[in-house]
PDB file of all heavy atoms in Angstrom:
ATOM      1  N   SER A  57       4.102  -2.941  -7.562  1.00 98.00           N
ATOM      2  CA  SER A  57       2.933  -2.182  -8.009  1.00 98.00           C
ATOM      3  C   SER A  57       2.136  -3.061  -8.969  1.00 98.00           C
ATOM      4  O   SER A  57       2.625  -4.103  -9.403  1.00 98.00           O
ATOM      5  CB  SER A  57       3.344  -0.884  -8.704  1.00 98.00           C
ATOM      6  OG  SER A  57       3.432  -1.079 -10.106  1.00 98.00           O
ATOM      7  N   SER A  58       0.943  -2.655  -9.288  1.00 98.00           N
ATOM      8  CA  SER A  58       0.117  -3.470 -10.184  1.00 98.00           C
ATOM      9  C   SER A  58       0.183  -2.976 -11.619  1.00 98.00           C
ATOM     10  O   SER A  58      -0.605  -3.394 -12.464  1.00 98.00           O
ATOM     11  CB  SER A  58      -1.332  -3.452  -9.690  1.00 98.00           C
ATOM     12  OG  SER A  58      -1.389  -3.908  -8.362  1.00 98.00           O
ATOM     13  N   ALA A  59       1.123  -2.086 -11.903  1.00 98.00           N
ATOM     14  CA  ALA A  59       1.169  -1.401 -13.195  1.00 98.00           C
ATOM     15  C   ALA A  59       1.313  -2.342 -14.389  1.00 98.00           C
ATOM     16  O   ALA A  59       1.981  -3.377 -14.318  1.00 98.00           O
ATOM     17  CB  ALA A  59       2.311  -0.392 -13.198  1.00 98.00           C
ATOM     18  N   GLY A  60       0.699  -1.934 -15.503  1.00 98.00           N
ATOM     19  CA  GLY A  60       0.773  -2.690 -16.741  1.00 98.00           C
ATOM     20  C   GLY A  60       2.196  -2.878 -17.227  1.00 98.00           C
ATOM     21  O   GLY A  60       2.511  -3.851 -17.926  1.00 98.00           O
ATOM     22  N   PHE A  80      -0.692  -5.731  -4.005  1.00 98.00           N
ATOM     23  CA  PHE A  80      -1.850  -4.874  -3.788  1.00 98.00           C
ATOM     24  C   PHE A  80      -3.164  -5.481  -4.290  1.00 98.00           C
ATOM     25  O   PHE A  80      -3.207  -6.113  -5.354  1.00 98.00           O
ATOM     26  CB  PHE A  80      -1.662  -3.546  -4.510  1.00 98.00           C
ATOM     27  CG  PHE A  80      -0.480  -2.765  -4.004  1.00 98.00           C
ATOM     28  CD1 PHE A  80       0.699  -2.727  -4.728  1.00 98.00           C
ATOM     29  CD2 PHE A  80      -0.541  -2.106  -2.792  1.00 98.00           C
ATOM     30  CE1 PHE A  80       1.788  -2.012  -4.258  1.00 98.00           C
ATOM     31  CE2 PHE A  80       0.546  -1.393  -2.304  1.00 98.00           C
ATOM     32  CZ  PHE A  80       1.711  -1.345  -3.042  1.00 98.00           C
ATOM     33  N   ASN A  81      -4.200  -5.218  -3.538  1.00 98.00           N
ATOM     34  CA  ASN A  81      -5.577  -5.472  -3.971  1.00 98.00           C
ATOM     35  C   ASN A  81      -5.744  -6.839  -4.617  1.00 98.00           C
ATOM     36  O   ASN A  81      -5.339  -7.839  -4.043  1.00 98.00           O
ATOM     37  CB  ASN A  81      -6.034  -4.323  -4.884  1.00 98.00           C
ATOM     38  CG  ASN A  81      -6.074  -3.007  -4.108  1.00 98.00           C
ATOM     39  OD1 ASN A  81      -6.440  -3.005  -2.930  1.00 98.00           O
ATOM     40  ND2 ASN A  81      -5.680  -1.924  -4.726  1.00 98.00           N
ATOM     41  N   ALA A  82      -6.297  -6.889  -5.826  1.00 98.00           N
ATOM     42  CA  ALA A  82      -6.606  -8.169  -6.453  1.00 98.00           C
ATOM     43  C   ALA A  82      -5.511  -8.628  -7.413  1.00 98.00           C
ATOM     44  O   ALA A  82      -5.746  -9.479  -8.274  1.00 98.00           O
ATOM     45  CB  ALA A  82      -7.944  -8.068  -7.191  1.00 98.00           C
ATOM     46  N   ASN A 102      -7.566  -2.260  -0.443  1.00 98.00           N
ATOM     47  CA  ASN A 102      -8.456  -1.167  -0.064  1.00 98.00           C
ATOM     48  C   ASN A 102      -9.851  -1.730   0.215  1.00 98.00           C
ATOM     49  O   ASN A 102     -10.162  -2.864  -0.158  1.00 98.00           O
ATOM     50  CB  ASN A 102      -8.449  -0.055  -1.122  1.00 98.00           C
ATOM     51  CG  ASN A 102      -9.057  -0.487  -2.442  1.00 98.00           C
ATOM     52  OD1 ASN A 102     -10.065  -1.192  -2.476  1.00 98.00           O
ATOM     53  ND2 ASN A 102      -8.448  -0.069  -3.542  1.00 98.00           N
ATOM     54  N   GLN A 104     -12.654  -1.091  -1.009  1.00 98.00           N
ATOM     55  CA  GLN A 104     -13.464  -1.328  -2.204  1.00 98.00           C
ATOM     56  C   GLN A 104     -13.324  -2.785  -2.661  1.00 98.00           C
ATOM     57  O   GLN A 104     -14.304  -3.417  -3.047  1.00 98.00           O
ATOM     58  CB  GLN A 104     -12.989  -0.373  -3.306  1.00 98.00           C
ATOM     59  CG  GLN A 104     -13.826  -0.376  -4.554  1.00 98.00           C
ATOM     60  CD  GLN A 104     -13.240   0.532  -5.636  1.00 98.00           C
ATOM     61  OE1 GLN A 104     -12.094   0.969  -5.567  1.00 98.00           O
ATOM     62  NE2 GLN A 104     -14.041   0.826  -6.632  1.00 98.00           N
ATOM     63  N   VAL A 105     -12.113  -3.288  -2.588  1.00 98.00           N
ATOM     64  CA  VAL A 105     -11.849  -4.681  -2.956  1.00 98.00           C
ATOM     65  C   VAL A 105     -12.611  -5.634  -2.033  1.00 98.00           C
ATOM     66  O   VAL A 105     -13.156  -6.643  -2.457  1.00 98.00           O
ATOM     67  CB  VAL A 105     -10.330  -4.978  -2.879  1.00 98.00           C
ATOM     68  CG1 VAL A 105     -10.049  -6.451  -3.075  1.00 98.00           C
ATOM     69  CG2 VAL A 105      -9.583  -4.154  -3.906  1.00 98.00           C
ATOM     70  N   HIS A 111     -14.627  -8.969  -6.903  1.00 96.00           N
ATOM     71  CA  HIS A 111     -13.351  -9.455  -6.400  1.00 96.00           C
ATOM     72  C   HIS A 111     -13.457 -10.715  -5.558  1.00 96.00           C
ATOM     73  O   HIS A 111     -12.448 -11.275  -5.169  1.00 96.00           O
ATOM     74  CB  HIS A 111     -12.637  -8.344  -5.628  1.00 96.00           C
ATOM     75  CG  HIS A 111     -12.219  -7.216  -6.515  1.00 96.00           C
ATOM     76  ND1 HIS A 111     -12.857  -6.004  -6.522  1.00 96.00           N
ATOM     77  CD2 HIS A 111     -11.255  -7.137  -7.453  1.00 96.00           C
ATOM     78  CE1 HIS A 111     -12.290  -5.220  -7.427  1.00 96.00           C
ATOM     79  NE2 HIS A 111     -11.320  -5.882  -8.011  1.00 96.00           N
ATOM     80  N   TRP A 127      -7.322  -1.070   4.303  1.00 98.00           N
ATOM     81  CA  TRP A 127      -7.492   0.344   4.661  1.00 98.00           C
ATOM     82  C   TRP A 127      -8.733   0.898   3.969  1.00 98.00           C
ATOM     83  O   TRP A 127      -9.197   0.349   2.966  1.00 98.00           O
ATOM     84  CB  TRP A 127      -6.245   1.157   4.315  1.00 98.00           C
ATOM     85  CG  TRP A 127      -6.012   1.395   2.850  1.00 98.00           C
ATOM     86  CD1 TRP A 127      -5.447   0.525   1.964  1.00 98.00           C
ATOM     87  CD2 TRP A 127      -6.340   2.569   2.105  1.00 98.00           C
ATOM     88  NE1 TRP A 127      -5.405   1.086   0.718  1.00 98.00           N
ATOM     89  CE2 TRP A 127      -5.932   2.345   0.780  1.00 98.00           C
ATOM     90  CE3 TRP A 127      -6.926   3.800   2.439  1.00 98.00           C
ATOM     91  CZ2 TRP A 127      -6.097   3.298  -0.230  1.00 98.00           C
ATOM     92  CZ3 TRP A 127      -7.092   4.749   1.442  1.00 98.00           C
ATOM     93  CH2 TRP A 127      -6.673   4.494   0.124  1.00 98.00           C
ATOM     94  N   SER A 192      -2.428   6.680  -2.662  1.00 98.00           N
ATOM     95  CA  SER A 192      -2.765   5.382  -3.240  1.00 98.00           C
ATOM     96  C   SER A 192      -2.200   4.264  -2.369  1.00 98.00           C
ATOM     97  O   SER A 192      -1.272   4.473  -1.576  1.00 98.00           O
ATOM     98  CB  SER A 192      -2.198   5.265  -4.645  1.00 98.00           C
ATOM     99  OG  SER A 192      -0.800   5.038  -4.602  1.00 98.00           O
ATOM    100  N   SER A 193      -2.745   3.065  -2.555  1.00 98.00           N
ATOM    101  CA  SER A 193      -2.208   1.898  -1.850  1.00 98.00           C
ATOM    102  C   SER A 193      -0.710   1.768  -2.100  1.00 98.00           C
ATOM    103  O   SER A 193       0.037   1.318  -1.233  1.00 98.00           O
ATOM    104  CB  SER A 193      -2.913   0.630  -2.330  1.00 98.00           C
ATOM    105  OG  SER A 193      -4.283   0.680  -2.034  1.00 98.00           O
ATOM    106  N   GLY A 194      -0.271   2.155  -3.298  1.00 98.00           N
ATOM    107  CA  GLY A 194       1.141   2.042  -3.658  1.00 98.00           C
ATOM    108  C   GLY A 194       2.059   2.750  -2.677  1.00 98.00           C
ATOM    109  O   GLY A 194       3.035   2.173  -2.189  1.00 98.00           O
ATOM    110  N   LEU A 195       1.759   4.016  -2.362  1.00 98.00           N
ATOM    111  CA  LEU A 195       2.625   4.743  -1.434  1.00 98.00           C
ATOM    112  C   LEU A 195       2.418   4.259   0.006  1.00 98.00           C
ATOM    113  O   LEU A 195       3.376   4.146   0.768  1.00 98.00           O
ATOM    114  CB  LEU A 195       2.389   6.255  -1.527  1.00 98.00           C
ATOM    115  CG  LEU A 195       3.390   7.068  -0.693  1.00 98.00           C
ATOM    116  CD1 LEU A 195       4.819   6.895  -1.191  1.00 98.00           C
ATOM    117  CD2 LEU A 195       3.024   8.541  -0.651  1.00 98.00           C
ATOM    118  N   GLU A 212       8.074  -0.778 -10.606  1.00 98.00           N
ATOM    119  CA  GLU A 212       7.133  -0.147 -11.552  1.00 98.00           C
ATOM    120  C   GLU A 212       6.126   0.772 -10.881  1.00 98.00           C
ATOM    121  O   GLU A 212       4.984   0.890 -11.321  1.00 98.00           O
ATOM    122  CB  GLU A 212       6.421  -1.199 -12.434  1.00 98.00           C
ATOM    123  CG  GLU A 212       7.353  -1.907 -13.412  1.00 98.00           C
ATOM    124  CD  GLU A 212       7.840  -1.051 -14.574  1.00 98.00           C
ATOM    125  OE1 GLU A 212       7.513   0.145 -14.639  1.00 98.00           O
ATOM    126  OE2 GLU A 212       8.581  -1.588 -15.437  1.00 98.00           O
ATOM    127  N   PHE A 213       6.559   1.435  -9.816  1.00 98.00           N
ATOM    128  CA  PHE A 213       5.776   2.564  -9.291  1.00 98.00           C
ATOM    129  C   PHE A 213       6.217   3.793 -10.085  1.00 98.00           C
ATOM    130  O   PHE A 213       5.397   4.563 -10.572  1.00 98.00           O
ATOM    131  CB  PHE A 213       6.017   2.715  -7.789  1.00 98.00           C
ATOM    132  CG  PHE A 213       5.189   3.787  -7.139  1.00 98.00           C
ATOM    133  CD1 PHE A 213       3.797   3.690  -7.104  1.00 98.00           C
ATOM    134  CD2 PHE A 213       5.784   4.900  -6.557  1.00 98.00           C
ATOM    135  CE1 PHE A 213       3.024   4.692  -6.507  1.00 98.00           C
ATOM    136  CE2 PHE A 213       5.020   5.904  -5.947  1.00 98.00           C
ATOM    137  CZ  PHE A 213       3.642   5.794  -5.929  1.00 98.00           C
ATOM    138  N   LEU A 222      -1.569   0.471 -20.476  1.00 98.00           N
ATOM    139  CA  LEU A 222      -2.209  -0.705 -19.886  1.00 98.00           C
ATOM    140  C   LEU A 222      -2.278  -0.463 -18.377  1.00 98.00           C
ATOM    141  O   LEU A 222      -1.264  -0.204 -17.733  1.00 98.00           O
ATOM    142  CB  LEU A 222      -1.371  -1.961 -20.186  1.00 98.00           C
ATOM    143  CG  LEU A 222      -1.894  -3.292 -19.653  1.00 98.00           C
ATOM    144  CD1 LEU A 222      -3.201  -3.694 -20.329  1.00 98.00           C
ATOM    145  CD2 LEU A 222      -0.857  -4.407 -19.850  1.00 98.00           C
ATOM    146  N   CYS A 223      -3.477  -0.544 -17.813  1.00 98.00           N
ATOM    147  CA  CYS A 223      -3.650  -0.162 -16.408  1.00 98.00           C
ATOM    148  C   CYS A 223      -2.935  -1.132 -15.478  1.00 98.00           C
ATOM    149  O   CYS A 223      -2.081  -0.742 -14.695  1.00 98.00           O
ATOM    150  CB  CYS A 223      -5.142  -0.089 -16.088  1.00 98.00           C
ATOM    151  SG  CYS A 223      -5.507   0.405 -14.397  1.00 98.00           S
ATOM    152  N   HIS A 224      -3.312  -2.411 -15.541  1.00 98.00           N
ATOM    153  CA  HIS A 224      -2.747  -3.461 -14.685  1.00 98.00           C
ATOM    154  C   HIS A 224      -2.078  -4.541 -15.520  1.00 98.00           C
ATOM    155  O   HIS A 224      -2.527  -4.809 -16.623  1.00 98.00           O
ATOM    156  CB  HIS A 224      -3.867  -4.122 -13.854  1.00 98.00           C
ATOM    157  CG  HIS A 224      -4.524  -3.189 -12.889  1.00 98.00           C
ATOM    158  ND1 HIS A 224      -5.893  -3.060 -12.811  1.00 98.00           N
ATOM    159  CD2 HIS A 224      -4.004  -2.356 -11.956  1.00 98.00           C
ATOM    160  CE1 HIS A 224      -6.187  -2.170 -11.869  1.00 98.00           C
ATOM    161  NE2 HIS A 224      -5.059  -1.728 -11.333  1.00 98.00           N
ATOM    162  N   TYR A 226      -2.432  -7.512 -15.172  1.00 98.00           N
ATOM    163  CA  TYR A 226      -3.300  -8.694 -15.194  1.00 98.00           C
ATOM    164  C   TYR A 226      -4.655  -8.460 -15.866  1.00 98.00           C
ATOM    165  O   TYR A 226      -5.550  -9.286 -15.749  1.00 98.00           O
ATOM    166  CB  TYR A 226      -3.526  -9.199 -13.758  1.00 98.00           C
ATOM    167  CG  TYR A 226      -4.040  -8.142 -12.786  1.00 98.00           C
ATOM    168  CD1 TYR A 226      -5.401  -7.898 -12.630  1.00 98.00           C
ATOM    169  CD2 TYR A 226      -3.154  -7.374 -12.035  1.00 98.00           C
ATOM    170  CE1 TYR A 226      -5.869  -6.944 -11.758  1.00 98.00           C
ATOM    171  CE2 TYR A 226      -3.605  -6.412 -11.146  1.00 98.00           C
ATOM    172  CZ  TYR A 226      -4.965  -6.211 -11.020  1.00 98.00           C
ATOM    173  OH  TYR A 226      -5.423  -5.244 -10.148  1.00 98.00           O
ATOM    174  N   CYS A 234      -4.413   5.429 -14.542  1.00 98.00           N
ATOM    175  CA  CYS A 234      -3.925   4.427 -13.585  1.00 98.00           C
ATOM    176  C   CYS A 234      -2.493   4.737 -13.166  1.00 98.00           C
ATOM    177  O   CYS A 234      -2.108   4.522 -12.023  1.00 98.00           O
ATOM    178  CB  CYS A 234      -3.978   3.035 -14.190  1.00 98.00           C
ATOM    179  SG  CYS A 234      -5.646   2.490 -14.553  1.00 98.00           S
ATOM    180  N   THR A 235      -1.699   5.240 -14.086  1.00 97.00           N
ATOM    181  CA  THR A 235      -0.298   5.541 -13.824  1.00 97.00           C
ATOM    182  C   THR A 235      -0.118   6.982 -13.337  1.00 97.00           C
ATOM    183  O   THR A 235       0.777   7.266 -12.553  1.00 97.00           O
ATOM    184  CB  THR A 235       0.529   5.320 -15.114  1.00 97.00           C
ATOM    185  OG1 THR A 235       0.291   3.972 -15.561  1.00 97.00           O
ATOM    186  CG2 THR A 235       2.014   5.496 -14.875  1.00 97.00           C
ATOM    187  N   HIS A 240      -6.446   9.691  -6.385  1.00 95.00           N
ATOM    188  CA  HIS A 240      -5.262   9.741  -5.516  1.00 95.00           C
ATOM    189  C   HIS A 240      -4.260  10.785  -6.025  1.00 95.00           C
ATOM    190  O   HIS A 240      -4.151  10.981  -7.232  1.00 95.00           O
ATOM    191  CB  HIS A 240      -4.561   8.376  -5.476  1.00 95.00           C
ATOM    192  CG  HIS A 240      -5.406   7.281  -4.923  1.00 95.00           C
ATOM    193  ND1 HIS A 240      -5.770   7.215  -3.597  1.00 95.00           N
ATOM    194  CD2 HIS A 240      -5.982   6.197  -5.511  1.00 95.00           C
ATOM    195  CE1 HIS A 240      -6.521   6.148  -3.392  1.00 95.00           C
ATOM    196  NE2 HIS A 240      -6.666   5.508  -4.542  1.00 95.00           N
ATOM    197  N   LEU A 242      -1.468  10.711  -7.061  1.00 98.00           N
ATOM    198  CA  LEU A 242      -0.464   9.734  -7.480  1.00 98.00           C
ATOM    199  C   LEU A 242       0.797  10.358  -8.089  1.00 98.00           C
ATOM    200  O   LEU A 242       1.912   9.908  -7.816  1.00 98.00           O
ATOM    201  CB  LEU A 242      -1.110   8.747  -8.457  1.00 98.00           C
ATOM    202  CG  LEU A 242      -0.338   7.486  -8.808  1.00 98.00           C
ATOM    203  CD1 LEU A 242      -0.008   6.668  -7.568  1.00 98.00           C
ATOM    204  CD2 LEU A 242      -1.135   6.615  -9.791  1.00 98.00           C
ATOM    205  N   GLU A 245       2.860  11.616  -5.353  1.00 98.00           N
ATOM    206  CA  GLU A 245       3.466  10.483  -4.639  1.00 98.00           C
ATOM    207  C   GLU A 245       4.724  10.018  -5.366  1.00 98.00           C
ATOM    208  O   GLU A 245       5.766   9.740  -4.765  1.00 98.00           O
ATOM    209  CB  GLU A 245       2.476   9.308  -4.567  1.00 98.00           C
ATOM    210  CG  GLU A 245       1.171   9.608  -3.849  1.00 98.00           C
ATOM    211  CD  GLU A 245       0.167   8.459  -3.981  1.00 98.00           C
ATOM    212  OE1 GLU A 245       0.574   7.309  -4.222  1.00 98.00           O
ATOM    213  OE2 GLU A 245      -1.045   8.716  -3.841  1.00 98.00           O
ATOM    214  N   LYS A 246       4.620   9.959  -6.681  1.00 98.00           N
ATOM    215  CA  LYS A 246       5.739   9.465  -7.484  1.00 98.00           C
ATOM    216  C   LYS A 246       6.902  10.451  -7.447  1.00 98.00           C
ATOM    217  O   LYS A 246       8.067  10.049  -7.407  1.00 98.00           O
ATOM    218  CB  LYS A 246       5.275   9.173  -8.915  1.00 98.00           C
ATOM    219  CG  LYS A 246       4.289   8.004  -8.925  1.00 98.00           C
ATOM    220  CD  LYS A 246       3.845   7.548 -10.291  1.00 98.00           C
ATOM    221  CE  LYS A 246       2.798   6.443 -10.082  1.00 98.00           C
ATOM    222  NZ  LYS A 246       2.706   5.509 -11.197  1.00 98.00           N
TER     223      LYS A 246
HETATM  224  O1  NCC B   1      -5.051  -0.068  -9.323  1.00 55.20           O
HETATM  225  P1  NCC B   1      -4.560  -0.435  -7.961  1.00 55.20           P
HETATM  226  O2  NCC B   1      -4.806   0.845  -6.984  1.00 55.20           O
HETATM  227  O3  NCC B   1      -5.065  -1.684  -7.350  1.00 55.20           O
HETATM  228  O4  NCC B   1      -2.972  -0.526  -8.020  1.00 55.20           O
HETATM  229  C1  NCC B   1      -2.163  -0.709  -6.866  1.00 55.20           C
HETATM  230  C2  NCC B   1      -1.095   0.363  -6.809  1.00 55.20           C
HETATM  231  O5  NCC B   1      -0.193   0.218  -7.907  1.00 55.20           O
HETATM  232  C3  NCC B   1       0.206   1.503  -8.399  1.00 55.20           C
HETATM  233  N1  NCC B   1      -0.089   1.568  -9.851  1.00 55.20           N
HETATM  234  C4  NCC B   1      -1.088   0.821 -10.402  1.00 55.20           C
HETATM  235  C5  NCC B   1      -1.324   0.876 -11.759  1.00 55.20           C
HETATM  236  C6  NCC B   1      -0.528   1.684 -12.564  1.00 55.20           C
HETATM  237  N2  NCC B   1      -0.686   1.716 -13.901  1.00 55.20           N
HETATM  238  N3  NCC B   1       0.448   2.437 -12.000  1.00 55.20           N
HETATM  239  C7  NCC B   1       0.676   2.385 -10.676  1.00 55.20           C
HETATM  240  O6  NCC B   1       1.584   3.087 -10.189  1.00 55.20           O
HETATM  241  C8  NCC B   1      -0.535   2.554  -7.570  1.00 55.20           C
HETATM  242  O7  NCC B   1       0.329   3.036  -6.564  1.00 55.20           O
HETATM  243  C9  NCC B   1      -1.659   1.761  -6.940  1.00 55.20           C
HETATM  244  O8  NCC B   1      -2.010   2.258  -5.652  1.00 55.20           O
HETATM  245  C10 NCC B   1      -5.451   1.591  -4.863  1.00 55.20           C
HETATM  246  O9  NCC B   1      -4.548   2.440  -4.690  1.00 55.20           O
HETATM  247  O10 NCC B   1      -5.938   0.912  -3.945  1.00 55.20           O
HETATM  248  C11 NCC B   1      -5.949   1.365  -6.309  1.00 55.20           C
HETATM  249  O11 NCC B   1      -7.085   0.488  -6.304  1.00 55.20           O
HETATM  250  C12 NCC B   1      -7.902   0.472  -7.490  1.00 55.20           C
HETATM  251  C13 NCC B   1      -9.052  -0.540  -7.277  1.00 55.20           C
HETATM  252  O12 NCC B   1      -9.849  -0.148  -6.180  1.00 55.20           O
HETATM  253  C14 NCC B   1      -8.472  -1.938  -6.985  1.00 55.20           C
HETATM  254  O13 NCC B   1      -7.536  -2.318  -7.969  1.00 55.20           O
HETATM  255  C15 NCC B   1      -9.574  -2.974  -6.992  1.00 55.20           C
HETATM  256  O14 NCC B   1     -10.170  -3.100  -8.240  1.00 55.20           O
HETATM  257  C16 NCC B   1      -8.407   1.858  -7.822  1.00 55.20           C
HETATM  258  N4  NCC B   1      -9.227   1.817  -9.046  1.00 55.20           N
HETATM  259  C17 NCC B   1     -10.478   2.214  -9.102  1.00 55.20           C
HETATM  260  O15 NCC B   1     -11.084   2.629  -8.136  1.00 55.20           O
HETATM  261  C18 NCC B   1     -11.166   2.088 -10.439  1.00 55.20           C
HETATM  262  C19 NCC B   1      -7.206   2.768  -8.063  1.00 55.20           C
HETATM  263  O16 NCC B   1      -7.646   4.081  -8.337  1.00 55.20           O
HETATM  264  C20 NCC B   1      -6.278   2.772  -6.874  1.00 55.20           C
END
Side-chain angles (χ1 to χ4, degrees):
S57 94
S58 303
F80 298 103
N81 296 323
N102 67 40
Q104 187 184 14
V105 172
H111 293 106
W127 72 279
S192 76
S193 297
L195 187 63
E212 292 289 3
F213 184 64
L222 180 66
C223 181
H224 296 130
Y226 54 88
C234 296
T235 305
H240 298 291
L242 192 58
E245 300 172 23
K246 294 185 184 206

